[in-house]
Amino acid sequence: MHYKTCCFTGILSFFLIFSLAAQQPKIHSHNDYLQNVPFWEAYASGAKSIEADVILMNDTLFVAHEKESIKNGQTLTSLYLDPILKARELGIGHQEPFMLLVDFKTEAYSTMEQLLKDIQPYAALWENRENPFVKIVVSGNRPATEDYDKYPFPIYFDYQSTTDTLDLPLDKIELFSLSFGRFSQWNGKGRITDEDAEKLKKPIQIAHGFGKPFRFWATPDSKTAWKSLSEMGVDYINTDQPYAAGPYLKSLPKRLYKSPNVSEIYRPTFETDGIPSKVKNVILLIGDGNGLAQLSATMYANDNQLTITQLKNMGLIKTQAADDFTTDSAAAGTALASGKKAKNRSVGSLPDGSAAENLPAYLKSHGFNSGIVTSDNITGATPAAFYAQQSERDLIREIASDLPKSPLNLFIGGGKNDFLRFGTDETKTLEAHGFYLAGSLEELAASNASRVGYFASNHGLPKVMQGRKHYLKNATKASLAYFQSKKQPFFLMVEGAFIDSGGHAHEVSTIIEEGIDFDLAVAEALRYADKDGQTLVIVTADHETGGISLPQGNLNRQEVELEFSTEDHTGIMVPVFAYGPQSDTFRGVYENTAIFDKIIAAIQQYLK
């Protein structure tokens, strides 16, 4: 059936363009025969179009770009048709339909005649005419357009013009393709110019107007290029790296994020920032796994600003454990809490087996109250480092039993069941040691008890994306209200735990939404510090998680792309920010253990 351009109404064109643009881009494995394992690598990578250049010689279709590179045995049959049939018959791989794009390097009609002979034994690959496993799409030296209809199913064609579009046999055209170099000399690094981008979009729109997908060949072959071409609406991304491009484009929607929860930030007064006066209270906020990339991504997604990034005194800390280059939260939490390096998995326990003296214990002897707030379970590695002394972070029963004996005056977090599930009701032990267990944050804030606790959940708390809203902010605010009523100096540790979870799971939404939530808690701490005038606020992380980089984004859309190099922690230094009296002492690059030392040094004037 033939169609003329004029037959396409505006409405039909709109819906065709919308339908094609809404589809995920597909991978076209260019010069696939040059891969170490032709066909199989592209097929395993999920390529929806696989290209083979063919040369007709002595009644055989050899797979090669020119005659000089022909190798015995490397034919269209051996490298493609036989493996494809095997994949189909044995049910190997994804079993999703794809195109075999056969690029004729020799005269069109004789090469086509041989192709038709070669594919005859493989009818099983296209027995389903509505949805064949393979479509044979002829490119390169093709027969004349008016002859397309002469060739039977499953033969289709790669049309290579967007100017000669009258009377096209659209039912035989599978896609439109053009050379990228006709429109741009961009090398795939940095940003393509607006002018070139507009040139490139025009042929795509013409192809989509005919209801056909589009491909550029000879494109730059990089992640930046793949993303840009995808955003322009290219349907088949040309690449010689299908094993890299496939996973990259498939994961891109999950790694490209725009937050629906842009929050207002708090702008500190800086009246007491960095002045050499007494420090009465210390608030230490720890974003678990919150490295510089996580912080950057959260800032860009939150309209390019955070409360944290308003702060002026900042440094970097090294996070290595006593026994490993890459720390876990237990060793890192112990280093922050005690000023001593610990082995991974150790919670408040030093390498020689002795108990580490943590900040709450040290400060109690000087008249300080202390507390911990976390979005993790109370027995989680980071909060536990501020009250427990155990050689293994998984000793939950023992960690829970350490809490009543600790010097803490306040705790807020999840995981009440950790105090119930081992045969002994440790909540009774908590009460016996003077803890009043509040039923709400409001009750805790107004409590006159010398020791208070609030279990925010029986098991783990949900993530922000699962419905938890402003918990960390409200818990911080309630804790500060409680301590203010006691008229004593205090130390408070606040942990945002799920930034780390997002890094482990490669969940960009979790990293950013938990990062924004953590920033709201930081804002509460800074508000208090501005009102009080004698409060030092420190914001840092225990380690970085995910090995994250930020290759692309869009500030106007508050959109950011994250890439991950690992599912684990890394040894990358993490930022530390400080605000209030003596906050300038936190500048520089130093070990995580120095946080403890700097806090002690900052309160020495108050202790005199």
Side-chain angles (χ1 to χ4, degrees), residues 54-65:
V54 296
I55 295 174
L56 177 62
M57 181 177 289
N58 299 326
D59 298 328
T60 301
L61 292 179
F62 287 97
V63 177
H65 193 269

Side-chain angles (χ1 to χ4, degrees), residues 55-115:
I55 295 174
L56 177 62
M57 181 177 289
N58 299 326
D59 298 328
T60 301
L61 292 179
F62 287 97
V63 177
H65 193 269
E66 59 281 314
K67 290 183 179 180
E68 292 75 13
S69 61
I70 288 176
K71 295 181 181 178
N72 289 333
Q74 293 192 353
T75 66
L76 184 66
T77 298
S78 65
L79 291 186
Y80 290 96
L81 296 176
D82 283 345
I84 293 170
L85 184 61
K86 183 176 291 186
R88 185 59 170 169
E89 290 177 343
L90 298 179
I92 298 172
H94 49 75
Q95 294 293 297
E96 295 177 2
F98 65 95
M99 297 188 306
L100 179 61
L101 192 141
V102 184
D103 191 334
F104 288 3
K105 297 301 180 183
T106 44
E107 191 273 331
Y109 289 92
S110 58
T111 306
M112 177 67 83
E113 183 179 353
Q114 187 60 48
L115 176 65

Side-chain angles (χ1 to χ4, degrees), residues 62-212:
F62 287 97
V63 177
H65 193 269
E66 59 281 314
K67 290 183 179 180
E68 292 75 13
S69 61
I70 288 176
K71 295 181 181 178
N72 289 333
Q74 293 192 353
T75 66
L76 184 66
T77 298
S78 65
L79 291 186
Y80 290 96
L81 296 176
D82 283 345
I84 293 170
L85 184 61
K86 183 176 291 186
R88 185 59 170 169
E89 290 177 343
L90 298 179
I92 298 172
H94 49 75
Q95 294 293 297
E96 295 177 2
F98 65 95
M99 297 188 306
L100 179 61
L101 192 141
V102 184
D103 191 334
F104 288 3
K105 297 301 180 183
T106 44
E107 191 273 331
Y109 289 92
S110 58
T111 306
M112 177 67 83
E113 183 179 353
Q114 187 60 48
L115 176 65
L116 293 173
K117 292 178 182 177
D118 285 358
I119 66 174
Q120 284 181 0
Y122 300 93
L125 296 176
W126 39 81
E127 57 187 357
N128 183 347
R129 293 182 67 93
E130 294 298 319
N131 195 31
F133 185 57
V134 180
K135 285 184 178 179
I136 306 296
V137 180
V138 175
S139 185
N141 295 328
R142 293 147 296 145
T145 306
E146 56 268 24
D147 291 334
Y148 284 6
D149 281 331
K150 297 179 181 178
Y151 297 101
F153 176 86
I155 299 295
Y156 294 88
F157 293 91
D158 175 24
Y159 192 67
Q160 297 181 1
S161 174
T162 52
T163 55
D164 185 7
T165 56
L166 292 178
D167 294 314
L168 292 179
L170 290 176
D171 54 346
K172 295 297 291 182
I173 293 174
E174 185 63 21
L175 79 161
F176 282 60
S177 296
L178 290 174
S179 170
F180 182 86
R182 284 179 52 185
F183 304 90
S184 174
Q185 298 302 309
W186 182 52
N187 65 0
K189 297 179 176 65
R191 184 181 182 276
I192 193 168
T193 66
D194 292 340
E195 182 181 1
D196 280 8
E198 289 305 312
K199 291 178 184 177
L200 290 162
K201 288 176 184 177
K202 288 180 181 178
I204 301 169
Q205 292 167 352
I206 292 172
H208 288 177
F210 283 102
K212 297 298 179 180

Side-chain angles (χ1 to χ4, degrees), residues 32 66 122 126 237 339 394 421 436 536:
D32 177 75
E66 59 281 314
Y122 300 93
W126 39 81
I237 305 295
D394 283 345
R421 62 189 172 104
Y436 174 71
L536 172 64

